[in-house]
Amino acid sequence: MITELQKQYHATLDMFELAVNNCPDALWGRVFGDNSPFWKEAYHCVFWLYNFLGGPTKRFELKPFGVDIDPRLFKPCSTACSKDEMQKFIASTRTHIDGVFETLTLQDLDLPDGFRDDGGFRSVAHRLLYGLRHGQHHAGKLTAYLFATGIDYDPWRG
């Protein structure tokens, strides 16, 4: 189960990275659907994919990549991130995925989750599955944005 979860996190990150890589520079700052530019939707996705991984001793990190960008889609930003920065965030998240799953045990999955102070997740397993669903949702949105502009590629990784 641990290995399969790790593989699914990598597949989600791979799908997200394909959307980032297939986004032409002219669309990187373009605003889509919910009034967020492509880069902001991408940052939101990778920020939360990284954070929802948590870990037995890891909690929410406001600046997991060392930058001060508000990840909430409904908040305007005073700064943007480049595709090069996004690639670094993706690489950092790949390393984080492996670090979390190397130490995670089946017993950990059933533990009460301490990620949020409000007890928002029932267990570590709940948080990890929620993080996968959230990541897939945003990877899908980014792919849909690209498809809507005529950019076609094979986005599925499994």
Side-chain angles (χ1 to χ4, degrees), residues 52-90:
F52 282 137
L53 281 163
T57 60
K58 297 175 182 73
R59 297 197 29 96
F60 174 80
E61 293 182 53
L62 186 58
K63 298 178 187 175
F65 310 115
V67 297
D68 192 13
I69 297 175
D70 191 326
R72 296 172 294 180
L73 292 175
F74 58 87
K75 291 285 189 174
C77 284
S78 59
T79 185
C81 73
S82 68
K83 284 178 78 171
D84 287 341
E85 287 174 307
M86 188 63 63
Q87 289 298 336
K88 290 176 186 169
F89 302 159
I90 291 167

Side-chain angles (χ1 to χ4, degrees), residues 52-146:
F52 282 137
L53 281 163
T57 60
K58 297 175 182 73
R59 297 197 29 96
F60 174 80
E61 293 182 53
L62 186 58
K63 298 178 187 175
F65 310 115
V67 297
D68 192 13
I69 297 175
D70 191 326
R72 296 172 294 180
L73 292 175
F74 58 87
K75 291 285 189 174
C77 284
S78 59
T79 185
C81 73
S82 68
K83 284 178 78 171
D84 287 341
E85 287 174 307
M86 188 63 63
Q87 289 298 336
K88 290 176 186 169
F89 302 159
I90 291 167
S92 177
T93 302
R94 274 190 210 294
T95 302
H96 186 54
I97 289 169
D98 291 336
V100 167
F101 286 106
E102 284 172 4
T103 59
L104 195 68
T105 68
L106 284 174
Q107 293 75 21
D108 291 336
L109 294 176
D110 288 332
L111 292 174
D113 189 66
F115 178 75
R116 288 181 10 190
D117 291 334
D118 66 0
F121 297 113
R122 294 181 295 276
S123 66
V124 171
H126 177 215
R127 176 179 34 82
L128 291 173
L129 292 171
Y130 183 93
L132 275 175
R133 289 188 315 116
H134 182 266
Q136 280 295 302
H137 166 74
H138 288 287
K141 281 178 74 176
L142 293 170
T143 300
Y145 293 159
L146 295 175

